[in-house]
Amino acid sequence: MSSAVSPLAPKTVPDMPVIAGIRLATAEAGIRYKNRTDVLLAVMDKGTAVAGVFTKSKCPSAPVEWCRAKLKGGKARALVVNSGNANAFTGKTGRASTALTAKIAAKAVGCSESEIFLASTGVIGEPLDATKFDGVLGRLAETAEPGDYLAAAKAIMTTDTFPKVATATVKLGKARVTINGMAKGAGMIAPDMATMLSFIFTDAPIAPAALQALLKSGVEDTFNAVTIDGDTSTSDTLLAFATGAAAGQGAPKISRASDPRLKAFVKAFNQVLASLAEQVARDGEGARKLVEITVEGAKTKASARKIAMSIANSPLVKTAIAGEDANWGRVVMAVGKAGEPADRDKLSISFNGIRVAKSGARDPDYDEAQVSEAMKAPEIAIKVSLGLGKGRDRVLTCDLTKEYVAINGDYRS
């Protein structure tokens, strides 16, 4: 966790409403960090539905494997998250740590171990001493209260420079329901059907299968459209919890994601995901520029996504942006290497609304001074027009600075 907040951090932090059926508490367990909270316990009322999407890494962490197995039950009573140690690439020891953590949490909350969900973030390859949770989780279960999502978000940070939270309130039937979310992530970011660590809470009465469908759909154009460095974590976990408490205020019970009564809820749900995803991009390790890349005129949306990600993950493009250089040649390179349909002589490129290349060559109206001034902005929009079809997509990334190298050069120190 950095002491210097990213210059791209949001200027305001939303007030996070209380959600009935959710209680939160944090503590210092001494997992790796000193003098800061590093464990979060979220306690849910009985009957809370759970859904989740996870990393597609072939080397997943022990908590990811645990959650995948327990997700089949569809119900949750508690979430335990620790920072400082990812409990990944830890073999039998890692699996034993997850089992012990779940056992301690289940005893503290008074539920089955199958209703405990776990997530860990931090150093890969170091054993996690789960005995440090003994006693800590019991105290947290006793002191947990509805409310402090900001403190919860701080407890799960690693190299993040600010806590990431988002909220939305929307009408479902006769009731007003709330959606709260938190996330952590600043490096090793290139999600694949999941996010770094993110947790969504709502009081809407939504069945597990419907919630799962909403989550799987919602990540596609939010978290899966963000990249910091092209590296997908072993620990990527996104969990959603629905307590159903709003049923008592007139919210209908939802069993299908296609239920037309969910239309406004789905929009709000996706807005929370999108806000958290953008905050992750804004907090990219060492970032000084938020970069939005839009590719239009592709053969398909999928093709546009691959090209946009090729640009977003290019170290040459990202370092040029860090140097405030509108180097369209590097963008051309990234388009060409993506392996998707492209025609050099139809390609046009713009930076912050200023077209620098047209029809496969430098724009005849190109003005170096004008473009150089535009590149000084903290937010950079790159638009690529392929002229081949109607496919369009958008992804978020950040620049690549010397600070990124410094942070990752001594991450384990």
Side-chain angles (χ1 to χ4, degrees), residues 365-386:
D365 297 325
Y366 176 78
D367 183 330
E368 179 73 28
Q370 181 188 28
V371 177
S372 294
E373 184 64 29
M375 294 301 291
K376 294 178 182 179
E379 299 183 11
I380 304 296
I382 301 175
K383 179 181 282 188
V384 174
S385 300
L386 297 174

Side-chain angles (χ1 to χ4, degrees), residues 173-188:
K174 297 179 180 180
R176 299 290 292 182
V177 299
T178 300
I179 306 162
N180 285 350
M182 69 181 82
K184 68 80 52 185
M188 201 182 288

Side-chain angles (χ1 to χ4, degrees), residues 1-9 157 159-162 283-284 286-288 403 407:
M1 183 168 62
S2 173
S3 59
V5 176
S6 168
L8 303 172
M157 291 164 58
T159 58
D160 305 64
T161 70
F162 62 87
D283 204 18
R288 294 294 178 267
E403 286 76 13
I407 289 167

Side-chain angles (χ1 to χ4, degrees), residues 140-347:
L140 292 181
E142 292 175 356
T143 59
E145 296 180 350
D148 202 344
Y149 286 87
L150 198 61
K154 287 179 179 178
I156 65 175
M157 291 164 58
T158 51
T159 58
D160 305 64
T161 70
F162 62 87
K164 301 162 183 65
V165 294
T167 186
T169 303
V170 66
K171 197 165 186 181
L172 180 60
K174 297 179 180 180
R176 299 290 292 182
V177 299
T178 300
I179 306 162
N180 285 350
M182 69 181 82
K184 68 80 52 185
M188 201 182 288
I189 305 298
D192 191 357
M193 288 312 297
T195 176
M196 296 46 64
L197 291 187
S198 187
F199 310 106
I200 311 297
F201 305 91
T202 182
D203 53 355
I206 302 178
L211 190 61
Q212 183 68 36
L214 292 182
L215 199 61
K216 187 174 181 180
S217 173
V219 296
E220 194 55 41
D221 288 326
T222 57
F223 284 116
N224 280 358
V226 171
T227 179
I228 301 301
D229 45 27
D231 288 332
T232 296
S233 172
T234 59
S235 305
D236 288 351
T237 298
L238 170 56
L239 294 169
F241 303 93
T243 68
Q249 282 72 52
K253 294 183 179 180
I254 303 296
S255 59
R256 296 178 295 107
S258 59
D259 192 316
R261 295 172 295 182
L262 266 185
K263 185 175 181 180
F265 180 90
V266 171
K267 182 178 180 180
F269 186 82
N270 289 344
Q271 285 174 345
V272 169
L273 296 181
S275 174
L276 294 172
E278 181 174 316
Q279 289 180 60
V280 168
R282 287 181 175 276
D283 204 18
E285 290 173 340
R288 294 294 178 267
K289 308 275 189 183
L290 176 69
V291 185
E292 178 187 63
I293 299 168
T294 303
V295 174
E296 62 184 18
K299 287 284 189 180
T300 63
K301 174 181 169 64
S303 181
R305 169 66 62 88
K306 289 181 180 179
I307 293 171
M309 281 294 188
S310 178
I311 298 167
N313 283 324
S314 167
L316 289 175
V317 172
K318 292 158 75 71
T319 50
I321 294 170
E324 300 181 343
D325 177 13
N327 192 331
W328 67 87
R330 294 182 177 182
V331 177
V332 172
M333 173 278 299
V335 172
K337 74 170 186 175
E340 293 296 314
D343 185 332
R344 177 198 60 203
D345 297 331
K346 293 182 178 180
L347 192 63

